[in-house]
């Protein structure tokens, strides 16, 4: 995997930003009635695009991965590819990629992961949300993958005891509370932004869990399907656009994943970027499907 070199000054800047974020409370007022921008951006207009995410946003698994916070015009993850495709359509794009590898949505999942010896470098609410540009016209959010893996790691270490399903469901509810905080913060920071969120595919059937135990796969399915159906998909009622990875067959093709079986490769990131571009530039975008066969693959 090829990675762009970043000058020491940029690395120091990234570290400083992360440290400042730790000292900065999540800010932004809650919108009482969320509103979305009217219609797609006009041809040739300026799009101020901010990406919130983890290693997916930096393009881990792609042939050209991007350092956090770095300008990465040749990256092949979905964030830089989205920016390039928009520019090719005549838009002027200002990009801010806030993705932090290993990050989770909130402090509660960060603490849970650290409790069970998972590497977690931060969380979206405290280390990314405060740095969303106030003039953002598009914000994308991809959350849930690291959280599901944190949940299954905790279960594997004995969390939940005899009621593992109850533990999973409690964590899904916690994810929902964090997502509400994140959405309110985004709207407070960038009230005019079109918010585009990606739901989760059924992680239980992705290549990286191909040899996992049935119990682990059942837990991964319960968590990812629960997050998608009860937390992320309903965000359409809050004027967010939801990209439906759960019911998209491309999200399950092994050829769209890198060697780790979890992160997409160039082709996987490519189809995600194409959907984001369609969501940004179309006057309407289809709502996520309420059910599909991919939601119940594992018995």
């Amino acid at each position: 995997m090829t990675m762009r070199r970043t000058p020491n000054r940029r690395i120091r800047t990234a570290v400083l930003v992360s440290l400042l974020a730790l000292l900065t409370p999540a800010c932004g007022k809650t919108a009482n009635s969320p509103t979305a921008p009217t219609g797609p951006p006009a041809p040739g207009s300026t799009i101020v695009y901010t990406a919130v995410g983890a290693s997916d946003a930096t393009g881990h698994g792609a042939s050209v991965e991007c350092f956090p916070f770095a300008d990465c015009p040749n990256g092949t993850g979905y964030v830089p590819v989205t920016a390039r495709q928009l520019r090719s359509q005549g838009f002027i794009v200002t990009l801010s990629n806030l993705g932090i590898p290993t990050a989770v949505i909130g402090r509660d999942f960060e603490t849970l992961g650290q409790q069970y010896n998972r590497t977690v470098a931060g969380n979206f609410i405290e280390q990314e949300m405060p740095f969303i540009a106030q003039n953002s016209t598009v914000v994308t959010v991809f959350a849930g993958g690291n959280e599901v893996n944190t949940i299954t790691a905790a279960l594997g270490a004995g969390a939940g005891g005899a009621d593992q399903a109850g533990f999973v469901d409690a964590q899904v509810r916690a994810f929902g509370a964090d997502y509400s905080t994140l959405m309110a913060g985004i709207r407070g920071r960038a009230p005019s932004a079109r918010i585009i969120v990606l739901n989760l595919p059924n992680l239980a059937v992705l290549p990286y869990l191909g040899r996992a135990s049935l119990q682990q796969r059942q837990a991964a399915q319960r968590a990812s399907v629960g997050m998608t159906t009860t937390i992320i998909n309903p965000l359409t009622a809050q004027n967010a656009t939801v990209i439906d990875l759960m019911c998209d067959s491309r999200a399950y093709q092994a050829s769209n994943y890198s060697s780790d079986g979890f992160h997409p490769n160039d082709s996987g990131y490519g189809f995600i970027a194409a959907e984001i571009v369609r969501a940004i530039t179309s006057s309407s975008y289809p709502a996520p499907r309420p059910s599909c066969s991919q939601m119940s693959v594992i018995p």
Side-chain angles (χ1 to χ4, degrees):
M1 176 171 60
T2 303
M3 185 176 288
R4 286 171 53 87
R5 294 185 179 275
T6 301
N8 289 335
R9 180 175 58 83
R10 283 183 178 170
I11 295 174
R12 289 197 298 270
T13 301
V15 172
L16 178 60
V17 169
S18 297
L19 291 174
L20 287 173
L22 289 170
L23 300 176
T24 305
C27 59
K29 57 185 178 182
T30 301
N32 292 325
S33 55
T35 57
T38 57
S45 63
T46 296
I47 294 174
V48 181
Y49 172 26
T50 300
V52 174
S55 54
D56 59 281
T58 62
H60 190 73
S63 59
V64 181
E65 184 177 357
C66 303
F67 280 100
F69 314 112
D71 181 16
C72 189
N74 298 319
T76 51
Y78 73 84
V79 174
V81 170
T82 295
R84 286 201 299 274
Q85 289 185 6
L86 290 169
R87 290 178 182 128
S88 74
Q89 295 183 22
F91 295 101
I92 300 166
V93 180
T94 300
L95 173 62
S96 176
N97 188 347
L98 301 179
I100 301 173
T102 75
V104 290
I105 192 168
R107 174 63 69 89
D108 49 352
F109 281 97
E110 184 176 354
T111 300
L112 182 66
Q114 292 168 347
Q115 181 181 351
Y116 292 100
N117 299 314
R118 287 183 57 81
T119 300
V120 183
N123 67 77
F124 298 1
I125 292 172
E126 295 177 320
Q127 279 80 51
E128 298 188 34
M129 185 179 71
F131 297 98
I132 294 172
Q134 294 183 327
N135 63 337
S136 295
T137 58
V138 173
V139 177
T140 60
V141 180
F142 197 0
N146 288 339
E147 291 80 355
V148 171
N149 291 336
T150 296
I151 292 168
T152 58
L155 289 172
D163 187 12
Q164 296 202 347
F167 178 83
V168 172
D169 293 346
Q171 297 306 314
V172 170
R173 290 192 295 271
F175 179 78
D178 285 342
Y179 222 123
S180 293
T181 299
L182 179 63
M183 290 291 289
I186 293 171
R187 292 199 184 280
R189 290 285 302 173
S192 298
R194 181 184 301 273
I195 302 177
I196 299 172
V197 301
L198 293 86
N199 70 19
L200 283 176
N202 184 344
L203 298 189
V205 293
L206 296 195
Y208 82 107
L209 289 180
R211 297 184 178 181
S213 67
L214 176 60
Q215 187 177 35
Q216 182 177 354
R217 298 177 75 197
Q218 287 172 331
Q221 175 173 277
R222 189 179 188 94
S224 54
V225 174
M227 289 176 179
T228 283
T229 58
T230 67
I231 308 302
I232 304 174
N233 287 356
L235 293 174
T236 55
Q238 300 180 31
N239 288 321
T241 299
V242 178
I243 292 177
D244 191 5
L245 298 182
M246 174 63 72
C247 296
D248 190 328
S249 62
R250 295 172 295 179
Y252 301 95
Q253 294 173 6
S255 60
N256 281 332
Y257 287 89
S258 64
S259 59
D260 69 10
F262 178 65
H263 294 90
N265 56 20
D266 287 3
S267 63
Y269 283 126
F271 93 75
I272 292 172
E275 288 302 314
I276 294 173
V277 170
R278 185 160 74 99
I280 292 170
T281 59
S282 300
S283 57
S284 63
Y285 187 83
R289 292 169 58 183
S291 63
C292 59
S293 60
Q294 289 92 339
M295 293 181 180
S296 55
V297 178
I298 307 301

